[in-house]
Amino acid sequence: MDVVIGPLDLPAHVDEALAVQAAAFGLGPEEVAVRRQIVRRHMEYPGARAFGATCQGKLVGFVYGMPNSRSHWWSTIVEPYLRANDNVFWLDDSFVITELHVHPRHQNRGIGRRLITTITDTAAEPRSILSAIDTDSPARGLYRSLGYVDLARRVHFPSAPKPYAVMGAPLPLRRKEQRVP
């Protein structure tokens, strides 16, 4: 089945996107309700944009992000961790990947890679930053394969039970090497 990647009007499709995130991330109804408000607020920020992956007209993955600002909540949380590692400059002139999720039934098919490279290819900033749960996971493996490196680890967000890692990569992101037959 073909998956189509394209711009996504995230505020209009927030419930579909959050259903994908809930399935991928194991979120309950209360957490989805909180995230609905966060997504809507984020999409009002200057330069915020989203892309979706659809299969037979159904949303199976999405990514959204925006040019980073030190005034954003996320930046205020990660700044001390980045400063401690001499990486605070990554907060400036960076495009932040706020969320990237693919429904579990559609994972391991390159959809996440296509989503993140599509959104970062549209960025004017010279680098990208993101946070991911600080564990050896397929998501962190994907980010590393694209050129992201750890900038800070064991980052604690309020109300998040697990620590996160902040990762950064120069843009454009690294592409898979093409093998010549």
Side-chain angles (χ1 to χ4, degrees):
M1 287 182 239
D2 287 339
V3 173
V4 177
I5 306 291
L8 175 65
D9 180 352
L10 189 53
H13 297 277
V14 68
D15 290 327
E16 292 169 75
L18 290 176
V20 169
Q21 185 175 0
F25 220 53
L27 303 179
E30 301 82 20
E31 184 66 19
V32 167
V34 169
R35 289 180 184 249
R36 183 178 295 109
Q37 301 310 313
I38 293 170
V39 168
R40 287 188 173 134
R41 185 177 69 245
H42 283 166
M43 293 308 294
E44 294 175 359
Y45 290 170
R49 56 194 172 276
F51 287 85
T54 56
C55 182
Q56 296 182 323
K58 182 173 171 56
L59 190 69
V60 298
F62 75 100
V63 63
Y64 83 92
M66 65 200 78
N68 194 52
S69 169
R70 287 189 186 229
S71 67
H72 293 164
W73 176 85
W74 182 85
S75 291
T76 66
I77 300 299
V78 303
E79 189 269 341
Y81 295 94
L82 293 173
R83 185 173 302 286
N85 290 298
D86 293 325
N87 285 322
V88 74
F89 69 93
W90 279 86
L91 291 175
D92 300 319
D93 222 12
S94 293
F95 187 83
V96 64
I97 301 299
T98 309
E99 299 288 350
L100 169 62
H101 299 286
V102 176
H103 193 283
R105 288 193 301 264
H106 295 272
Q107 291 177 0
N108 301 311
R109 297 180 187 171
I111 296 169
R113 176 180 301 276
R114 288 175 56 202
L115 284 166
I116 195 170
T117 56
T118 299
I119 198 168
T120 57
D121 282 352
T122 68
E125 297 75 17
R127 57 185 162 253
S128 173
I129 53 177
L130 56 80
S131 55
I133 294 175
D134 193 1
T135 186
D136 191 22
S137 66
R140 296 247 296 141
L142 167 64
Y143 302 143
R144 285 188 193 102
S145 76
L146 292 164
Y148 285 89
V149 296
D150 291 342
L151 303 174
R153 298 197 58 198
R154 293 176 192 78
V155 175
H156 294 276
F157 290 100
S159 78
K162 297 177 183 175
Y164 279 70
V166 176
M167 303 178 79
L171 295 179
L173 294 177
R174 185 184 320 149
R175 299 309 204 258
K176 278 187 166 179
E177 291 184 28
Q178 299 288 325
R179 290 189 180 184
V180 178

